[in-house]
Amino acid sequence: IKSKSIVQRIMEAHANVRDMGLTEAKMAYIKAWQSLPDFGITYFRIRMAGGKKEELLGVASNRVIRMDLNSGDSIKTFRYNLLQTWHVNWENETVILDFEDQKVTFAPLECSCKTAHE
């Protein structure tokens, strides 16, 4: 990106907020941040039961998203309204999510299963 286009984008962004008060500008920033598609998603590096490669699991307010670790592409989305039961196996540190059409079993790699469970 050329420096002239960056300067132009900064000037346009500044023009949008220069007449706002501090609190109003902060609220506009928060609203813009909350409107981002990934807002509110917590990510965990996991390994699926029987799987060999690491994956990414995104936990949102209404769904769980299984994702490719390298590209971030969604592999499958599971909605909470289809979740029948969940269970934590404390002995082998796995979380089991039982949906209507599929059972998802995974082990978090960078945190305890208690963190992923909560």
Side-chain angles (χ1 to χ4, degrees):
I1 300 176
K2 296 181 181 180
S3 62
K4 285 185 178 183
S5 68
I6 292 173
V7 170
Q8 182 180 357
R9 289 181 64 195
I10 291 171
M11 295 301 289
E12 288 172 5
H14 180 261
N16 291 334
V17 296
R18 72 172 160 219
D19 296 329
M20 294 181 183
L22 178 62
T23 304
E24 188 180 4
K26 285 181 180 180
M27 291 303 294
Y29 173 80
I30 291 169
K31 284 181 183 179
W33 173 51
Q34 289 175 334
S35 69
L36 294 172
D38 290 343
F39 173 75
I41 300 177
T42 304
Y43 297 96
F44 297 96
R45 282 184 44 213
I46 63 158
R47 181 166 288 120
M48 297 297 288
K52 295 181 182 175
K53 67 178 189 170
E54 296 179 9
E55 295 183 22
L56 201 59
L57 189 76
V59 179
S61 61
N62 60 349
R63 66 194 183 281
V64 176
I65 311 156
R66 184 176 167 194
M67 305 167 75
D68 182 87
L69 182 63
N70 296 319
S71 68
D73 292 339
S74 175
I75 297 171
K76 182 150 184 177
T77 299
F78 305 94
R79 300 265 173 207
Y80 288 142
N81 61 346
L82 300 177
L83 181 64
Q84 294 176 332
T85 62
W86 73 90
H87 175 73
V88 177
N89 186 327
W90 301 106
E91 292 177 11
N92 64 8
E93 296 270 322
T94 58
V95 178
I96 303 160
L97 304 174
D98 190 9
F99 293 94
E100 287 180 355
D101 61 340
Q102 184 176 358
K103 186 177 284 194
V104 178
T105 305
F106 64 90
L109 299 176
E110 294 180 329
C111 65
S112 73
C113 61
K114 180 181 181 192
T115 303
H117 169 261
E118 292 176 348

